[in-house]
């Protein structure tokens, strides 16, 4: 069975500092990886998916199959980035549900 | 923020009572999902439905039941058999099986059982 691990429950940084939210996964096949975000008093929403290789709100994430990781990065954190971030995995091809990690709370201080 | 609604926002029940949480969507999505969110546990899948009149158990289905009689609705019943029912429950939907990764979430229902 697939598994997603987010080792940090809380990540606290100062505004302008680089951010890296860690995500590791275990799955023997070809997964699709995603980051979901939940801002305060807002709904959980999709932030980005690895296959699109896009930058959303300055965040990027690269799938490293060798290290089975999908870390979320941003070079300069902003206060509005403070939120709960969940890494999620889906099995590529065919129908699949999402397996979520336990989440990392990012706090960006002024 | 419209599209998928959950009611009520807060729900209180006595131990031993069944309780049904509502989830409605007007996005014309085929697939719907129920998750449980506990502090430090992330989201855990309870049940999901790919299409009307069909549903499958997720990772933690014991003590829960669902129905999918209409495309727009996917109610979740928390039965008295659920040992730890107090939690935050999230409903989600996606266009269909092919895009199960892109889920739209409701605002959630916080259930407290005493």
């Amino acid at each position: 069975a697939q598994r997603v691990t987010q080792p940090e429950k809380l990540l606290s940084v100062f505004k302008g500092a680089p951010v890296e939210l860690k995500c590791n996964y275990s799955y023997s096949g070809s997964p699709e990886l995603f980051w979901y975000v939940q801002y305060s008093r807002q709904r959980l929403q999709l932030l980005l998916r690895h296959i699109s290789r896009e930058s959303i709100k300055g965040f990027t994430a690269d799938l490293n199959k060798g290290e089975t990781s999908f870390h979320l990065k941003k070079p300069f954190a902003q206060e509005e980035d403070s939120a709960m971030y969940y890494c999620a995995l889906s099995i590529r091809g065919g129908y699949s549900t999402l397996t979520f990690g336990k989440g990392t709370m990012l706090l960006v201080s002024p | 923020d419209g599209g998928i609604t959950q009611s009520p926002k807060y729900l209180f029940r006595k131990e031993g009572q069944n309780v049904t949480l509502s989830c409605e969507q007007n996005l014309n999505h085929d697939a719907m999902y129920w998750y449980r969110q506990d502090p430090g546990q992330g989201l855990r899948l309870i049940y999901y439905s790919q299409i009307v009149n069909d549903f499958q158990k997720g990772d933690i289905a014991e003590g829960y039941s669902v129905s999918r009689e209409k495309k727009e609705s996917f109610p979740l019943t928390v039965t008295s058999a659920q040992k730890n029912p107090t939690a935050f429950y999230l409903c989600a939907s996606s266009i269909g099986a092919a895009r199960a990764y892109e889920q739209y979430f409701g605002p959630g229902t916080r259930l407290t059982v005493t």
Side-chain angles (χ1 to χ4, degrees):
Chain A
Q2 60 270 25
R3 186 183 181 96
V4 176
T5 303
Q6 294 179 251
E8 303 141 328
K9 287 186 179 179
L10 172 66
L11 183 62
S12 185
V13 301
F14 288 105
K15 177 182 173 180
V19 169
E20 182 178 69
L21 297 162
K22 290 183 168 42
C23 172
N24 290 90
Y25 67 90
S26 62
Y27 176 61
S28 56
S30 294
E32 288 197 51
L33 275 297
F34 310 89
W35 279 98
Y36 273 75
V37 61
Q38 188 169 26
Y39 300 103
S40 179
R41 290 185 289 278
Q42 293 188 30
R43 303 183 186 198
L44 189 62
Q45 59 187 290
L46 178 64
L47 179 62
L48 56 80
R49 53 189 295 222
H50 90 270
I51 204 165
S52 59
R53 302 185 66 82
E54 57 195 344
S55 173
I56 304 291
K57 298 184 178 182
F59 284 99
T60 59
D62 290 318
L63 180 61
N64 186 323
K65 292 185 179 180
E67 296 182 357
T68 60
S69 68
F70 187 56
H71 303 329
L72 184 68
K73 300 177 184 178
K74 186 170 183 176
F76 307 104
Q78 302 299 314
E79 289 180 68
E80 55 265 31
D81 295 329
S82 295
M84 192 72 173
Y85 291 81
Y86 292 95
C87 184
L89 178 152
S90 175
I91 299 170
R92 187 178 297 188
Y95 184 84
S96 175
T97 57
L98 285 172
T99 298
F100 285 87
K102 294 185 178 182
T104 297
M105 172 67 76
L106 173 64
L107 290 177
V108 182
S109 304
Chain B
D1 262 359
I4 182 163
T5 58
Q6 292 183 244
S7 62
K9 190 172 181 179
Y10 299 97
L11 193 51
F12 298 89
R13 280 293 182 271
K14 295 287 188 185
E15 196 174 322
Q17 294 178 336
N18 291 355
V19 59
T20 297
L21 282 60
S22 167
C23 178
E24 304 278 332
Q25 54 98 0
N26 62 2
L27 300 168
N28 200 32
H29 285 174
D30 283 323
M32 297 186 75
Y33 314 82
W34 273 106
Y35 294 91
R36 173 181 171 137
Q37 191 176 29
D38 296 284
Q41 293 295 319
L43 277 74
R44 293 182 289 170
L45 183 64
I46 303 172
Y47 267 98
Y48 63 101
S49 168
Q50 300 178 39
I51 201 164
V52 175
N53 293 321
D54 184 60
F55 49 82
Q56 287 80 40
K57 293 182 179 180
D59 301 318
I60 55 165
E62 186 176 347
Y64 299 98
S65 66
V66 293
S67 64
R68 187 86 188 277
E69 297 176 0
K70 297 186 298 182
K71 188 175 186 177
E72 313 81 58
S73 179
F74 191 41
L76 173 74
T77 296
V78 184
T79 75
S80 56
Q82 167 51 231
K83 291 183 172 56
N84 297 297
T86 294
F88 189 63
Y89 291 88
L90 280 171
C91 180
S93 68
S94 67
I95 289 175
R99 293 184 66 173
Y101 64 85
E102 188 170 6
Q103 296 184 16
Y104 293 80
F105 283 82
T109 292
R110 186 167 298 280
L111 173 65
T112 302
V113 177
T114 57

